[in-house]
Amino acid sequence: MIIDTHILLSLVCFSFIIKTAHSSNSSSVSNSDSFVLACGVSSAANDANGLNWAPDSKFLSSSGNSITATAQSQDPSLPSAIPYMNARIFTSESTYQFSVLPKMRHWVRLHFYPSSYSNFDSSNDFFSVTAGRFTLLNNFSASITAEALTQAYIIKEFSLGPIQSGSLNLTFTPSSIHKGSYAFVNGIEIISMPEIFEPASMVGFSDQTIDAENYALQTMFRLNVGGQYIAANNDSGVSRTWYDDSPYLYGAAYGVTSEAERNVTIQYSSNVPRYIAPVNVYSTARTMGPNPKLNLNYNLTWVFQVDANFTYLLRLHFCEFQLWKDNQRVFDIFINNQTAQSSVDVIALAGSMGVPVYKDYAIYVSDENSDDDLWVALHPSASMKPEYYDAILNGLEIFKINDTSGNLAGPNPMPSPLLQKALSQQKARSFAPSQSNKLGIIIGAIAGGLAGFALVTAVIVFLNYRKCKTDGKKSSPAGWLSFYGRSRTTKSKITGKSSHLSTLGGGLCRHFSFVEMKLATDNFDESRVIGVGGFGKVYKGIIDGGTKVAIKRSNPSSEQGFHEFQTEIDLLSKLRHRHLVSLIGACEEEDEMILVYDYMANGTLREHLYDSQKPLSWKQRMEICIGAARGLHYLHTGAKNTIIHRDVKTTNILVDDKWVAKVSDFGLSRTGPSLNQTHVSTEVKGSFGYLDPEYFRMQQLTEKSDVYSFGVVLLEVLCGRPALNPRLPKEQINLADWALSCNRGGTLEEIIDPHVKGEINAECVNQFVETAMQCLSDQGINRPLMGTVLWNLEFALQLQDNPDGPKPVAEQKANDAYLMHTTLMSIEEEGEGTVEMDSSKAFFSQIVNPRALPGIIIVLYVSFNTILCLLRLY
Ligand SMILES: *[C@@H]1O[C@H](CO)[C@@H](O)[C@H](O)[C@H]1NC(C)=O
Ligand SMILES: *[C@@H]1O[C@H](CO)[C@@H](O)[C@H](O)[C@H]1NC(C)=O
Ligand SMILES: *[C@@H]1O[C@H](CO)[C@@H](O)[C@H](O)[C@H]1NC(C)=O
Ligand SMILES: *[C@@H]1O[C@H](CO)[C@@H](O)[C@H](O)[C@H]1NC(C)=O
Ligand SMILES: *[C@@H]1O[C@H](CO)[C@@H](O)[C@H](O)[C@H]1NC(C)=O
Ligand SMILES: *[C@@H]1O[C@H](CO)[C@@H](O)[C@H](O)[C@H]1NC(C)=O
Ligand SMILES: *[C@@H]1O[C@H](CO)[C@@H](O)[C@H](O)[C@H]1NC(C)=O
Ligand SMILES: *[C@@H]1O[C@H](CO)[C@@H](O)[C@H](O)[C@H]1NC(C)=O
Ligand SMILES: *[C@@H]1O[C@H](CO)[C@@H](O)[C@H](O)[C@H]1NC(C)=O
């Protein structure tokens, strides 16, 4: 099996190389003039991904005014020591000279890791970089940029048109305005690439096109819309990195993501060769959703923050893999509120299903009202009366085009107000450590050590405060936890026993002393116990003079506990998601192992299903299931490696004060199968009643085991009874078996929880039951992916809200339903009491009105990891 896949893969690659090499000279993916240089090193070395980085000195035309240096500390979020730990520092203008193929376009990637190098003050790094006649960076400060973007390192990617002279001069010049400024660089990549640019029409000026062929461009965003992160070494030969688009989605309308069925093959053509974008971009998409009424009411919108006074080239990638005929899905494209193209029909453009196409548009972004945003919006073309009122997008690239003076440089980004506040708090903290916090040291960095080989250019965290609400008194440290953990500024000095915490967590984990833990819990007073598990007891605690937390203290005698403790820190400290419980920190001292989490005011899902005075309404139940599904979907697909939870059950789904579901308890979780494996063999663990029978038989763990367990959770929610109830007659003890048999006999309706039976509409229950039954398929292969489960549940909820009747949908109501797609990124502001949370609708009241959206986070080229850790914090 495994070998087959390898052969197949290499065949695919091989034929691709042959094909491109033959098709035309300019499109061949040749690496004949590639330079991959680690600056300041004395000999070549490989990075963590096996890419070889050569020393840079022989390309310097005069090396007299540069010195080499090694960074004094290594941030844990660096993907690799090469090329970041070594730098070349320039105190006066210096030039690298490369001889390049004159007819080829080239990538120029510059890697910067701002750190303290010998006796240079890291805040004096102001410099410019030019490549031939183009200015790539000007008055650039890597340290300011990194701080504003909360990135340890920065990668800038440019693409230079053919250089006729065959000689590329890359010049670094320290700023003459700032005293004592210097320039530096850690890594330089210059790689020839096919000419991927062509004339693009200017939005709003139908007669004007802009021909980017001779221009220099800077990559601003490159998104695999509706899909996942694609590493540079997994790109289609052009070493680009593609990111998830969800951080850029605007407002409440999230659409739905989908993936091509296996039987649909992506067919490249001479118009769209494979190097334009990899298969993964075209085989995943975001569409508006199944409900035409909702779709007509909203625009599927992405917002990007860009530098003003530049022209941008936008490339929209399309590939239809669900529909096959003309006029099935026809939509309009708006860019900055202007119609870029109306009535786009991907099938009409491409000719058939599975054939990729792309469209390029150019637009000038001016500086009016300091609105330097780029809006991309899609809306169904109602006038064409298509079969489906829907829109689709598979990929999106945004490039900045050089201005008339050959400049590409923009200003340094400013930290967002919230970040500025967090930073100043952090500084205050490090200057005046509190007494109770004897160690007083916070470990880690924003991004855990997960990082893949990521192209990181920049992140802009752009927080758009709600205008009406400026009361920021109630700061929530947990929400901005990541900023406490910036090891770049707060160096970790962990002593003795705690030492491996720092390596374990990869960073994002605050360290607590045992004394603090005792204070927080009244010396582990029994009255504070809110839960007891295999690991030990869970206490309600108060830290930082008011923040409620849940404190899980292990039973010191438990050996197994230690392992689970490590797993939990290791995984959770790297994962941040609205639907995963957040780990705030840990304490490991004197044989104590204590984990500190966000406090979940409403306890476990189970408590609200049965044994409860006031069982949840059907809608609340569904919303919680959707939240939990989202959390699990993220575990399965959002991280670099699949993470299998292994213990999905109603007691591990917690609910916060706003009834937001959070998946918890990662003690048993496992990193899933890697590239050449289909499963992980392991000892069977989990909870009875939820255990996947296939996993039990084969002892092979896949993410489908979680899907099975989640199916049991869905039944528990529907039927309002535990997964196992030994007091019932034999055939009813196991809920999954019982429900499957009732479903076969057509009597499932009879076992629905009477508390909610009256509320559920028939279409919703059918969709819900069908989803649960699919999850419970005996064989993993027949079970849906968590993403599909999520989609089905959202659809079920829409059916509940809007059971397809002819009665018109009230605006507000309509919004509610598609808001389901938004929970992932909806951002809560720091203050808490602003939203009333007693009704299920209030759940989303913050985002019902897009104007009230408290924040948008915009990311330009973030390492994948940082997206996880930082942006999905919410
Ligand atoms: C490809 O390169 C070869 C040799 O450099 C040249 O003879 C040929 O004309 C080129 N073909 C095209 C299509 O440019
Ligand atoms: C590149 O720089 C070298 C020396 O600094 C200079 O001799 C050469 O003319 C430059 N080339 C171009 C194309 O500017
Ligand atoms: C490359 O893409 C394949 C196809 O989806 C994926 O399975 C694999 O994990 C990716 N590899 C890396 C290194 O990202
Ligand atoms: C692919 O398979 C699905 C069901 O598995 C089917 O509905 C669809 O028509 C197939 N598509 C093609 C292009 O064969
Ligand atoms: C853009 O250009 C206008 C007019 O030349 C100027 O006033 C403004 O400061 C520029 N904005 C930026 C961000 O450079
Ligand atoms: C586009 O329209 C939206 C909503 O009307 C507005 O908030 C936004 O500022 C506009 N964007 C641009 C670039 O004009
Ligand atoms: C979609 O965006 C366009 C352009 O900004 C705007 O004219 C239109 O009103 C929007 N439609 C909806 C439903 O928001
Ligand atoms: C980019 O630079 C080139 C060369 O300097 C110039 O010809 C071109 O007009 C510039 N592009 C724009 C959009 O001004
Ligand atoms: C250079 O950048 C710094 C920091 O962003 C800014 O304060 C300063 O005004 C800039 N200087 C110039 C000349 O643009």
Side-chain angles (χ1 to χ4, degrees), residues 336-337 371 373 375 851:
N336 272 6
N337 299 345
D371 244 0
D373 293 347
W375 292 62
R851 286 267 63 152

Side-chain angles (χ1 to χ4, degrees), residues 381-438:
S381 298
S383 61
M384 301 300 290
K385 301 223 167 9
E387 188 174 342
Y388 301 101
Y389 289 111
D390 199 358
I392 182 171
L393 185 63
N394 303 65
L396 178 59
E397 291 176 279
I398 300 179
F399 302 94
K400 188 203 281 177
I401 299 178
N402 69 272
D403 68 11
T404 43
S405 58
N407 178 46
L408 276 169
N412 291 315
M414 292 270 289
S416 71
L418 202 49
L419 174 55
Q420 277 170 358
K421 197 167 116 196
L423 287 173
S424 62
Q425 274 175 4
Q426 181 204 312
K427 275 180 194 138
R429 236 164 218 273
S430 59
F431 289 132
S434 75
Q435 298 163 325
S436 62
N437 186 355
K438 263 193 292 174

Side-chain angles (χ1 to χ4, degrees), residues 261-264 324 353:
E261 295 281 340
R262 279 172 199 279
N263 57 1
V264 178
W324 57 94
M353 192 185 203

